[in-house]
Amino acid sequence: MTIRRKARYVDLHLCNSCGDCANVCPVTAPDEYQMGLSSRKAVYIPFPQAVPCSYILDMDTCLGNNPIACGKCADVCEKQAIDFDDADELVTREVGAIIVAIGLDVYDPTEMDEYGYTRFDDVITSMEFERLICAGGPTMGHFVRPSDQQRPKRIGFIQCVGSRNPKIGRPYCSNICCMNTIKDTLLLADHYPDTENFVFYQDIRAFGKGFEDMFQRSKEAGTRYIRGLPGDIEEDPETGALIVTVENTTSGRLERHELDMVVLSVGVVPAKDRDKIAGLLTLSKTSDGFFMETHPKLKPVDAPTRGVYFAGFCESPKDIKDSVCQAGAASSRAGALLNAGEIKIEAITSVIDPEACSMCGLCASVCPYGAITWHKKEVATVIEAACAGCGACGATCTFGAITMRHFTDDQLLGQVRAILAEQPEEKVFVFACNWCSYAGGDMAGISRIRYPSTNRVVRTMCSARVSEEMVLEAFRCGAPVVLVSGCHYADCHYIDANRQTVKRVQKLWDKLEKAGVRPERLQLEWISAAEGQKFAKVMQQMEDKRKLVTPDEIAHAREALKPKKKKARPAKKEPAAVTEATA
Amino acid sequence: MATTTMAPFRCMMCGHEYQEKVVQGEDVERSCPKCRSNSIRHLKGTKK
């Protein structure tokens, strides 16, 4: 693992944080920690509790180090800790486990113009509010509003800004905003009892330990909770008050509130660098953009890539308590792995025949685990410790260069041929994945659910293992109908390998249609291990489809799908001699 | 912002044809609104 240690331009060991450098620095820039509500110098300590408590020189705002344009900080530093020649350093470490804890970003409400975040000074976000009421904040804890530095008396909090809103592509609940607002109202009631607080909400989600009690205390302290989100905010040109119009859905009345300050309770969004991390560690994401765990119940801190664990917001929005729990669990899981000494892996892994490999790299592109390494004009190689054995690579390779141990092409095609050797027209041919569909069939059986006995099932570890050739071979052997079944999207045991199944079946439908074979004879279904009923229903539907297939259609498919004889490659032409005219 | 388009689909189980939103880069499990089957063929680029 290679880590980039960014240049600080200040020697950590020499700096004693006296602050002389900052005092003489002529540059001021918005202080990111104070949400831009105050300024900092180009040489600064990021925040008061920073570890190590040492100055850092922000070269983006500094007047320059090549050549040194100012150099006042270096002149004044008695310890000579300023080092303008400092550079980024690459550190290499060998690690056995990685914990991903990249945190979150806060939603920027600029796009929700109806709340006037960019138009009105006194419309602020909950993060800005947090800095304003903090003793270490830009106003040293003296709560004032930005427009006139006066203390606001009527404050409105608008919930779910950037959360639970499919219109802006953020349908999820950010989990922390309700309790943060309740905490803020209690804080205001405690410090400034004459303040009137209004909370505009669609639901208050106070489900944690002690949370309901806090909510009740906030109401008892005088906070008015109004069920309904304002449509827009206007400013009174004479008084400068913010006018909030809202439909109170509890009373059914339209209400108008004049407020001194509005706090937008902004949601959280996945960290902006997540795609880089996802690429480095082959992680997958949910539709919300957060990292996907191996299993939501059984392995909630494990990434699908072995040896990688999640802690905190990067996996889903959660509060401090849950983040601490998850961090503890992640470090325990990592510790268990590191102390194991040896790890056991499944015997079902891919093996690449270097002689047959055409170096196309398709296998590497479909591997959900990044377990295949490939570089242009090089034979692909499998990292066996990372391979989980889905078989997506084996089904994708059209050159027969990949063998899946225990589920080889020969073994699976042999099963297809054996099953359809006798009276194929009376059989419904089914490919079922090991973890869900096959188990769904078991569930149907042990639940004593009746379904037609004509189906014949071939088990593969993942539906992605079913290659085009296997499906076509089934039709060539006279199968009237073929079903490919696997896990539902959220349940796929191999991250997202079953997406390859979808792509392959789409291609097969096109291919069948082109060959004059009714594409409806090939079906695709997602059946979970608990869906015995669905398994039985699908088998009945497949049986109904089988009865509609005529002997002529079966005979036509046998002929039309016969593999074409490969033409002998023409001998390579000798490159034409370069003549003077062509040169 | 992700691009959203309406795309034609056909259920290979019941034959129902319908239009559905397709968001670029979106990864969703599709099922027929009529029979709930997952045999959904994306008709984009295919000849009817």
Side-chain angles (χ1 to χ4, degrees), chain A residues 488-489 499 506 509-510 513 519 523-526 534 545, chain B residues 12-13 27-29 35 37-42 46-47:
Chain A
H488 287 281
Y489 268 32
R499 277 54 157 188
Q506 287 279 349
W509 278 326
D510 294 344
E513 196 168 55
Q523 294 287 328
L524 172 72
E525 288 294 342
W526 308 131
K534 183 173 181 183
K545 289 227 170 276
Chain B
M12 302 303 279
M13 187 62 87
D27 186 27
V28 291
E29 182 178 313
C35 73
S37 168
N38 304 117
S39 270
I40 305 301
R41 189 177 180 195
H42 193 177
T46 57
K47 288 175 187 175

Side-chain angles (χ1 to χ4, degrees), chain A residues 448-462:
Chain A
R448 304 283 187 267
I449 302 169
R450 293 183 67 170
Y451 59 88
S453 58
T454 47
N455 67 80
R456 297 292 180 272
V457 183
V458 167
R459 181 177 66 96
T460 55
M461 291 309 284
C462 177

Side-chain angles (χ1 to χ4, degrees), chain A residues 96-97 302 309 328-343:
Chain A
D302 293 40
Y309 305 96
S331 58
S332 300
R333 296 280 296 156
L337 177 72
L338 296 178
N339 291 321
E342 286 182 350
I343 57 162

Side-chain angles (χ1 to χ4, degrees), chain A residues 276-406:
Chain A
K276 281 185 191 169
I277 301 289
L280 285 172
L281 301 173
T282 61
L283 305 175
S284 50
K285 293 174 290 178
T286 60
S287 56
D288 298 334
F290 296 100
F291 290 136
M292 189 182 271
E293 66 281 58
T294 303
H295 193 284
K297 292 172 193 164
L298 303 176
K299 287 189 174 177
V301 300
D302 293 40
T305 307
R306 287 175 190 157
V308 180
Y309 305 96
F310 298 127
F313 255 96
C314 64
E315 184 257 330
S316 68
K318 55 178 72 69
D319 66 3
I320 296 169
K321 183 181 170 184
D322 288 352
S323 296
V324 170
C325 286
Q326 198 179 23
S331 58
S332 300
R333 296 280 296 156
L337 177 72
L338 296 178
N339 291 321
E342 286 182 350
I343 57 162
K344 287 180 183 174
I345 56 166
E346 288 282 341
I348 306 161
T349 51
S350 294
V351 182
I352 296 178
D353 177 1
E355 303 263 310
C357 179
S358 69
M359 306 176 197
C360 65
L362 267 179
C363 51
S365 68
V366 300
C367 178
Y369 295 89
I372 298 179
T373 51
W374 169 80
H375 300 286
K376 268 187 182 176
K377 295 181 182 174
E378 280 183 28
V379 171
T381 50
V382 176
I383 306 163
E384 284 206 46
C387 176
C390 63
C393 55
T396 304
C397 181
T398 51
F399 302 96
I402 299 182
T403 308
M404 281 298 305
R405 288 198 183 102
H406 303 287

Side-chain angles (χ1 to χ4, degrees), chain A residues 424-430 452 454-455 475 478-484 509 512 517-525 536-551 553-554, chain B residues 10-16 32 34-41:
Chain A
E425 67 284 354
E426 291 178 9
K427 290 168 185 165
V428 168
F429 197 87
V430 181
T454 47
N455 67 80
F475 283 120
V481 285
V482 175
L483 170 71
V484 179
W509 278 326
L512 292 176
V517 178
R518 266 195 305 128
E520 289 81 6
R521 289 173 61 188
L522 172 64
Q523 294 287 328
L524 172 72
E525 288 294 342
K537 181 187 159 195
V538 171
M539 290 309 138
Q540 184 60 57
Q541 287 173 325
M542 292 300 293
E543 173 62 5
D544 295 342
K545 289 227 170 276
R546 182 193 71 80
K547 286 176 182 168
L548 296 174
V549 180
T550 63
E553 279 186 293
I554 294 173
Chain B
R10 182 193 294 150
C11 173
M12 302 303 279
M13 187 62 87
C14 71
H16 177 54
C32 173
K34 202 173 161 189
C35 73
R36 313 309 304 165
S37 168
N38 304 117
S39 270
I40 305 301
R41 189 177 180 195

Side-chain angles (χ1 to χ4, degrees), chain A residues 90-144:
Chain A
L90 293 178
V91 185
T92 307
R93 292 277 184 274
E94 198 169 287
V95 298
I98 296 170
I99 296 176
V100 179
I102 58 170
L104 64 121
D105 281 330
V106 178
Y107 174 72
D108 179 358
T110 305
E111 66 176 328
M112 294 183 76
D113 194 48
E114 62 269 32
Y115 292 148
Y117 177 62
T118 52
R119 284 181 283 134
F120 310 127
D121 290 340
D122 296 329
V123 175
I124 61 172
T125 67
S126 46
M127 284 295 282
E128 290 163 348
F129 178 84
E130 205 64 41
R131 298 318 307 152
L132 282 177
I133 57 169
C134 180
T139 56
M140 309 302 284
H142 299 293
F143 180 48
V144 292

